[in-house]
Amino acid sequence: MSSLDQLYQQIILDHAKARHGSGLAGTDVPEGTSSGQSHQLNPVCGDEVTLRVAVKDGAVSQISWDGAGCSISMASASVLSDLAEGMSVEELRGVIGTFRDVLRSRGKITADPEVLGDAAAFEGVARYAARVKCAMISWVAAEDALNQAT
């Protein structure tokens, strides 16, 4: 295993243990803020995520989530919450699209850490079709919640 693969594996393990953004924020949103919430379930493996996003002035002002599932799904939600907060809505939509493209490529597209940050660690998941949905579940929830909020 290369040192980069080891680093990526460690990022996933760290986020699976210390889940950033975990714990749904309250439903009361300040004036001038819109919000959306999405619940996603993978019936094949049982991964489950509820994600809430708040948008103010065209940017993600808060993202929180709660869920249960494998290390990949929980780590992916944690990485997403770190990455998304403060991004413009359009920027986050672009990052979600890039993440989706990398994961659906079956290893043919290399993840750019400049674009995806720690989410680039999930590049290796693309080679395992059964795990792609695990990594994508929170990102699908974020996309749905953004659509509700905007």
Side-chain angles (χ1 to χ4, degrees):
M1 183 181 303
S2 75
S3 59
L4 184 59
D5 288 339
Q6 288 175 342
L7 172 64
Y8 282 173
Q9 185 177 33
Q10 192 59 50
I11 288 169
I12 292 170
L13 291 172
D14 289 349
H15 276 276
K17 289 178 188 170
R19 299 174 179 180
H20 302 179
S22 181
L24 283 174
T27 56
D28 294 334
V29 293
E31 192 171 321
T33 302
S34 58
S35 67
Q37 177 175 307
S38 179
H39 177 80
Q40 299 292 319
L41 170 68
N42 182 346
V44 174
C45 66
D47 289 344
E48 192 168 2
V49 170
T50 301
L51 185 137
R52 201 172 283 153
V53 65
V55 174
K56 183 173 183 166
D57 300 326
V60 176
S61 60
Q62 184 178 53
I63 188 166
S64 62
W65 62 277
D66 194 17
C70 69
S71 294
I72 290 172
S73 66
M74 299 297 97
S76 186
S78 177
V79 167
L80 171 62
S81 70
D82 278 354
L83 187 64
E85 204 158 304
M87 275 188 177
S88 74
V89 169
E90 291 312 311
E91 183 180 14
L92 179 54
R93 284 190 173 125
V95 169
I96 291 169
T98 299
F99 188 73
R100 179 180 285 117
D101 290 345
V102 168
L103 287 181
R104 288 184 176 169
S105 77
R106 299 202 181 245
K108 292 183 177 113
I109 297 175
T110 302
D112 182 352
E114 293 294 319
V115 174
L116 294 175
D118 280 352
F122 295 91
E123 174 184 312
V125 172
R127 293 187 298 267
Y128 306 98
R131 304 305 257 157
V132 168
K133 286 185 180 180
C134 300
M136 279 300 305
I137 193 167
S138 59
W139 297 72
V140 170
E143 189 171 51
D144 183 36
L146 274 178
N147 288 338
Q148 293 172 34
T150 57

